[in-house]
Amino acid sequence: MTDLAARLLHLFATALARLPWRWLMRLGDGLAAWMLRRNTRESRVVRRNLELTQPQLPAAARDDLHQRIVRTTARQALETLRMWTRPHAENLGLIRQSHGVDLFDAAIAAGRGVIVAAPHYGNWELLNQWLAAHTPLAILYAPPESAVGDAFLRLVRADDAQAARVTQVRAEGPGVRQLFKLLKDGGVVGILPDQQPKQGDGEFAPFFGVPALTMTLLGRLAHRTGAAVVFAWCERIDAHDDGPGFALHIEAAPPAVADADPVVAVAALNQTVERIARRDPSQYQWTYKRYTLQPSGNWDDNPYKGIR
């Protein structure tokens, strides 16, 4: 039944994604207006995150940024449905500019393995598709709580032409051991570096000036395997009736992300993700409860308490 439900969900997403781009974007704007009017959970999380990370902004400026983030979030949800259900080669035509591809190719050719740190900025699903078209890789992901959601993600993240090139690895013990082996064999691994790990699987480091529990896995992988680390993202640069345009960016990570001291490594990781997010804060995923766990370990310090 799980697979059947996932396929039915896929059929619905496919039908919706057949709408022209301009209709999808207008639908996204309507969804954003509804989210703001109803003060949905996502809208409240965005507002709380901005209160935590942008306290210096005047209230009017913070409200404006809040509205732009919700609008971008709604548009991206429909944008991603289309990318999930259309041929990947068609989607890749939305990438109008590419920066740092030679650096990426050189890192692969060196044969030491490559870790791609892909923050939740711009459209990371389009980045996944570009990576899969460019090289075989393994993608580490945290499975959704819903079994149907997990099956749906596995269904949409690799079309038939690329299924053999993408290994989806669950963020669990056996999966982590698999990543070590892949990197030692010179493979490419993609990791979303700004997801909050479980208590005990990370270290705290500032992120936009607020302590954030941050994964130590990426630094451990880099330090123990000697793999190169690059940051990559697909940033929106324009929008037309024939679809949004993106710029692909790939850059070398600072050496400190592979430091033997996990505190040093996570600090460098967060600093780089923050710098990328500051390029255009409206393109970052502020709907995520990034600061749920705090250094005190006291649930009363959870800044999202009361947001369900």
Side-chain angles (χ1 to χ4, degrees):
M1 290 298 293
T2 296
D3 287 343
L4 175 60
R7 291 191 177 279
L8 290 174
L9 186 58
H10 186 266
L11 286 174
F12 170 76
T14 301
L16 182 64
R18 289 187 179 277
L19 293 173
W21 271 113
R22 63 182 182 277
W23 290 15
L24 279 178
M25 295 302 97
R26 288 174 184 169
L27 185 59
D29 292 346
L31 176 59
W34 177 84
M35 292 168 67
L36 290 166
R37 186 170 58 253
R38 295 298 299 270
N39 197 26
T40 63
R41 172 192 174 279
E42 291 78 11
S43 178
R44 284 180 285 144
V45 171
V46 171
R47 183 181 296 108
R48 186 68 185 116
N49 277 330
L50 292 182
E51 290 169 351
L52 291 167
T53 63
Q54 310 288 338
Q56 78 288 352
L57 280 182
R62 196 159 57 235
D63 286 345
D64 178 69
L65 180 55
H66 174 220
Q67 292 176 29
R68 287 192 288 121
I69 290 170
V70 172
R71 180 172 179 262
T72 301
T73 298
R75 282 190 167 201
Q76 174 163 323
L78 298 177
E79 176 184 284
T80 299
L81 282 180
R82 184 181 178 106
M83 291 181 182
W84 274 342
T85 56
R86 301 295 295 172
H88 291 188
E90 176 185 311
N91 298 334
L92 295 178
L94 299 172
I95 298 179
R96 322 288 196 201
Q97 302 174 13
S98 297
H99 308 277
V101 176
D102 289 347
L103 168 72
F104 185 50
D105 287 340
I108 295 173
R112 296 185 293 112
V114 181
I115 300 171
V116 180
H120 287 88
Y121 178 82
N123 194 300
W124 50 93
E125 293 295 342
L126 181 60
L127 173 65
N128 285 344
Q129 293 182 11
W130 183 88
L131 290 169
H134 200 74
T135 181
L137 79 157
I139 296 175
L140 182 72
Y141 79 106
E145 293 181 4
S146 164
V148 173
D150 189 23
F152 176 74
L153 285 179
R154 285 186 280 104
L155 187 63
V156 300
R157 279 182 167 164
D159 65 10
D160 290 342
Q162 295 181 358
R165 296 170 62 83
V166 179
T167 302
Q168 298 192 61
V169 178
R170 295 168 70 98
E172 299 168 348
V176 171
R177 290 191 290 274
Q178 185 179 358
L179 297 184
F180 273 105
K181 184 178 186 307
L182 284 167
L183 289 171
K184 287 180 178 179
D185 290 340
V188 179
V189 168
I191 296 178
L192 297 166
D194 46 358
Q195 289 182 317
Q196 182 175 249
K198 296 178 182 178
Q199 191 83 46
D201 290 341
E203 295 283 351
F204 283 95
F207 185 58
F208 283 87
V210 183
L213 187 63
T214 305
M215 67 161 61
T216 55
L217 173 61
L218 190 150
R220 293 202 316 271
L221 287 170
H223 179 71
R224 295 181 187 177
T225 66
V229 183
V230 299
F231 280 82
W233 65 94
C234 280
E235 183 176 56
R236 290 178 197 80
I237 55 174
D238 57 40
H240 303 286
D241 284 350
D242 62 345
F246 294 87
L248 169 72
H249 292 269
I250 300 174
E251 64 176 41
V257 301
D259 198 276
D261 184 341
V263 175
V264 173
V266 297
L269 188 64
N270 279 358
Q271 288 168 7
T272 307
V273 174
E274 179 177 334
R275 177 177 55 78
I276 294 168
R278 286 187 182 277
R279 293 172 62 92
D280 179 358
S282 70
Q283 294 197 43
Y284 190 67
Q285 190 191 29
W286 294 106
T287 56
Y288 182 56
K289 294 181 178 181
R290 184 70 174 86
Y291 305 106
T292 300
L293 299 172
Q294 287 297 296
S296 67
N298 189 338
W299 178 253
D300 289 337
D301 292 337
N302 176 4
Y304 310 104
K305 192 171 57 177
I307 300 179
R308 303 296 182 188

